[in-house]
Structures are given as structure tokens and as C-alpha cells.
Amino acid sequence: MKIPIYMDYHATTPVDPRVLEAMLPYFTTEYGNAASKSHAFGWKAEEAVEAAREEVAKLIGASAKEIVWTSGATESDNLAVKGAAHFYQAKGKHLVTCKTEHKAVLDSMHALERQGFEVTFLEPERDGRLDPAKVQAALRPDTILVSVMHANNETGVVHPIAEIGRIARGAGVVFHCDAVQSIGKIPFDVEAMNVDLASISAHKMYGPKGMGALYVRRKPRVRLVAEMDGGGHERGFRSGTLNVPGIVGMGKAAELARLERDAEAVRVTALRERLRKGLEKELDLLTVNGSLEHRVPGNLNVSFAYVEGEALMMAVKDVAVSSGSACTSASLEPSYVLRAMGVSEDLAHSSIRFGLGRFSTEEEVDYTIRLFGEKVRKLREMSPLYEMVKDGVDLNQIEWANPH
Ligand SMILES: Cc1ncc(COP(=O)(O)O)c(C=O)c1O
């Protein structure tokens, strides 16, 4: 077993060796520009790009013409949200989203607010899911876009996207879904879910970093204002010379995801449950954040009460995880996702996100359980609050002295 152990598959995934193998010729011998129409180098590159487009489309139930290549899901989210808002603004200037979206969506929304758009940020339920009835209630005659992610990147919680899609379609409102964390892990189908725009990232599904796509529906046609001006590549949606090796890698990653997703989901869910049950056996006062039932296979987000997440991460350097505590971000606030779900500030500060995936093993999980057991116990020994709770003191009943 290799140390450190990688358990941060939501942040990024290793490139699958089969993906790398497919990409390599496009750096060395097949280096043509896919837009070069006059020679075989260009034709070869274009052929590979179009084969990859088919693969990505097939994975999400789309047709190849509906896939637009981008530099990653941050760009896809920006293009979808701002591009749709700018195109449909004559119809209305109201948008609907959820407080637990990725920053790429939230900050695009904030940018639009500064341009005079109005955004409704909906609260999720305590289990992290957005109630479709809230979407329905938020719609207005001037609503032009609903943007709700499929699976959340911190909690892995899966939103009822098909129902939200049905509501948006019924109201004639464009529906964007950031499906970065679910594609290749659980079924995602743009037809079954009435999705009009979907963001995808290659590096979250064993493909290369800096490579993504946006699904743009053709029937009924969804229109966008391009964010990038230039040579008019990608049907004018996204100018710029195509990243041929990256595209080939994303295509191969999509093919592997389509062929292996369901078996992988069973295996990774079993690993996740092994981790959860193992931690629960080792330690008391654990809370799993977000619905366990509606969650992507590889995610476990746990709060270890009376332990600060950042301190815990430093203590478990052998295992790469991430924390919902403050210091991982520039702001001092703990995870805005957990806070929006109603998780207390203390528990948000004590949260750890475990991300398991294709190359995770039982041995790694067992090592992690032992290490976390040992380190959390040690940190709690230093916590007077934990001692008080163990002595049967109800902390809520204590009147703390006012320091002022
Ligand atoms: C839900 C979600 N959306 C968007 C992104 C951004 O993707 P990319 O890294 O490809 O820009 C991420 C990655 O952190 C994500 O998890």
C-alpha cells in the first residue's frame, strides 16, 4: 500500500492509464489542428475529436452535436449561466439556484446580479437536497434560468434533478445542471431529466485536468451568448483551438465510465460503507452530513464532534482528505454548503470529506479507519468539552461567562 493514501476523489481523480495511453499519440505523432481542413494532420485530429464527442454524448443520452468543448466545468458553468442569462434577458432577468451550488455557478450568479439580474438562492433541506416544490414556488413570469447541480461536491448529495427538470420544462424555463460530480458515477440522462444545459469536467472522471464540456440542447433549441470571441469554433459557442489530446482523453474517460460505471458504483459504495461502519465502530459522536440514501457512491462527509477539522487533517497526513473547516479557503467561514443545510458552525468546522474512487482499496480504507480512530481519540483527550460531555454534562444547559 502506497502512503500517502489518496481519498480526495471529489477534488480530482488520477488519469486512468487507459486514458493516458489513448491521449499520447495526440501529443507526438497526431499533432494536427482539428480546424485545419486542408491536410491529413488536421483530418486525423478532427476525426479523433468527433469520435470523442460521440462518446461524451453517449454517456449522457445526448447527440454529438450538442457537446461543446471547454477548458473545464468552471468555464462550462460560466458559459451556461451567463450565456443563457445574456441571451434571454429580453424575456426576463430572474434566475433561480440553490445555496449549495459550486462557486463557479454562485459567483456567475453574483456577477449577473451586478449587471442588474435578480437571483433567488434557495435553501436546501436538512439532508442537503433541494425540494422541487421550492423551485416551483420560486418561478416567476420573468424567470429565464434554473441552475441546480446533480451531486454536491462536498456532501455527494444527489438532488431530485428529474423533478426539477420537469418543473422548469413545464414553465418554459431553461434548466442548467452542473453534473460534474455525478457523471460517470451514477446515471445522468439529459432526456430523462429534462436538462437543457449540463456541465461536465474530465478530471473528475479519470480524464485530464483543464478539459471539460457543456451539453447544449438542440431540441427544443437552447441559445447562449458566447463568452469567448474568436474563430467561431464549436458552432460559435466557444472559440479557440481545440485541446485535441485533452478531448481524446475525455472521450476515452467517458467510454470507460459508460462501460464500467455500474460495476464500479457497487464496488465503491461497498468501500464507502466499510469506511462509515468502521469509523462508527471506532468512534462515538460522529455525524454523517447529508442524505446517505441520495448520495454518490464515493462520498462520505463526516463531522467528528469536538475535533477541529483542520487540526485533524494535519494529524492524519498519511491520508489525503479535505475539510469543511475555515482554513482550507480564503474566507473564515466554515463550509457554506454545510451551513446552508443547517449544520452548526462547530460541526461544520469538524467535518472531513472522504472521497473514494476507482483505485481505492479495502486495505486503504482499513488503514484510514485505524488512523482516524487513533488521532480523533487523541485530539478529543485534549478537549475539555468532550470530557464534559463524557461526564454527562449537557453543554446546552451551561451558561457560559460573558467575556466582555
Ligand atoms: C460541482 C463542481 N462544479 C464545477 C467544478 C469546476 O470544475 P473544473 O475544475 O473542471 O473547472 C467542480 C470542481 O471542483 C465541481 O466539483
Side-chain angles (χ1 to χ4, degrees):
M1 189 176 62
K2 266 222 246 123
I3 300 284
I5 293 165
Y6 190 70
M7 263 194 209
D8 204 12
Y9 275 76
H10 303 288
T12 194
T13 59
V15 171
D16 190 298
R18 295 166 291 180
V19 169
L20 177 65
E21 197 187 335
M23 290 171 70
L24 285 174
Y26 295 90
F27 289 106
T28 51
T29 51
E30 315 293 349
Y31 47 76
N33 183 329
S36 296
K37 303 288 180 209
S38 55
H39 50 68
F41 292 90
W43 304 332
K44 268 270 178 73
E46 191 192 13
E47 207 175 287
V49 163
E50 294 315 313
R53 209 187 293 276
E54 286 283 351
E55 278 300 344
V56 171
K58 214 187 277 183
L59 183 61
I60 62 170
S63 79
K65 283 184 178 156
E66 296 173 309
I67 303 298
V68 175
W69 302 119
T70 66
S71 65
T74 298
E75 186 188 339
S76 303
D77 285 345
N78 272 263
L79 177 57
V81 172
K82 294 177 186 168
H86 290 146
F87 189 88
Y88 293 103
Q89 59 184 322
K91 205 177 137 200
K93 291 187 116 179
H94 178 237
L95 305 99
V96 176
T97 190
C98 181
K99 288 187 172 172
T100 53
E101 289 296 304
H102 191 269
K103 286 284 183 191
V105 166
L106 292 180
D107 287 350
S108 294
M109 292 286 181
H110 292 310
L112 289 169
E113 281 183 319
R114 290 191 292 275
Q115 295 169 13
F117 288 84
E118 201 186 324
V119 184
T120 301
F121 296 93
L122 298 172
E123 296 255 352
E125 302 303 296
R126 178 75 215 203
D127 68 356
R129 301 185 92 209
L130 178 61
D131 180 354
K134 284 189 178 166
V135 176
Q136 180 78 62
L139 294 178
R140 311 191 317 210
D142 62 340
T143 308
I144 51 170
L145 181 77
V146 170
S147 179
V148 179
M149 70 201 327
H150 192 197
N152 183 271
N153 44 296
E154 289 192 28
T155 60
V157 166
V158 177
H159 287 301
I161 287 307
E163 287 164 58
I164 295 170
R166 202 174 313 125
I167 289 166
R169 179 65 56 85
V173 173
V174 174
F175 178 39
H176 167 243
C177 182
D178 175 335
V180 167
Q181 294 288 350
S182 65
I183 286 182
K185 299 179 179 74
I186 54 173
F188 177 79
D189 186 289
V190 292
E191 288 308 323
M193 295 172 170
N194 282 322
V195 170
D196 297 316
L197 297 162
S199 301
I200 321 172
S201 181
H203 77 101
K204 311 283 186 177
M205 49 185 231
Y206 311 99
K209 293 168 184 60
M211 184 64 228
L214 180 67
Y215 159 78
V216 184
R217 177 176 291 282
R218 281 166 75 89
K219 279 184 197 154
R221 193 182 195 83
V222 172
R223 314 286 293 272
L224 299 173
V225 171
E227 295 290 306
M228 193 93 79
D229 296 312
H233 306 71
E234 298 298 283
R235 305 195 343 265
F237 284 127
R238 204 281 189 173
S239 289
T241 298
L242 293 178
N243 170 5
V244 179
I247 290 168
V248 169
M250 188 164 182
K252 187 66 188 178
E255 181 195 345
L256 295 174
R258 177 170 55 81
L259 298 173
E260 299 177 4
R261 182 190 64 204
D262 295 348
E264 193 165 289
V266 172
R267 197 185 74 83
V268 175
T269 303
L271 284 178
R272 198 265 313 284
E273 285 303 285
R274 187 182 183 96
L275 177 62
R276 182 177 68 83
K277 289 178 184 154
L279 289 172
E280 281 174 354
K281 215 165 135 197
E282 282 275 328
L283 296 160
D284 59 357
L285 300 175
L286 297 191
T287 347
V288 174
N289 295 308
S291 165
L292 246 193
E293 187 191 349
H294 302 285
R295 178 183 291 256
V296 289
N299 180 287
L300 188 66
N301 188 312
V302 181
S303 286
F304 296 89
Y306 308 107
V307 170
E308 211 275 320
E310 206 69 21
L312 180 54
M313 274 211 315
M314 301 307 276
V316 294
K317 283 219 170 86
D318 285 359
V319 184
V321 289
S322 76
S323 151
S325 191
C327 312
T328 46
S329 67
S331 78
L332 290 174
E333 286 291 303
S335 161
Y336 68 89
V337 171
L338 297 181
R339 293 292 286 133
M341 289 160 58
V343 174
S344 73
E345 200 160 321
D346 286 348
L347 281 184
H349 269 301
S350 73
S351 70
I352 293 286
R353 176 187 71 179
F354 297 92
L356 299 158
R358 184 169 292 169
F359 305 106
S360 302
T361 64
E362 284 188 355
E363 204 185 359
E364 289 176 343
V365 167
D366 293 346
Y367 181 92
T368 302
I369 294 167
R370 282 197 304 277
L371 185 68
F372 271 75
E374 182 194 322
K375 299 297 182 187
V376 170
R377 276 193 296 273
K378 205 171 223 170
L379 287 167
R380 281 178 173 172
E381 272 170 24
M382 296 187 271
S383 160
L385 290 180
Y386 181 70
E387 284 304 310
M388 288 164 81
V389 170
K390 293 314 278 181
D391 289 343
V393 177
D394 181 352
L395 295 182
N396 292 322
Q397 298 302 317
I398 293 180
E399 285 187 25
W400 301 99
N402 189 335
H404 300 293

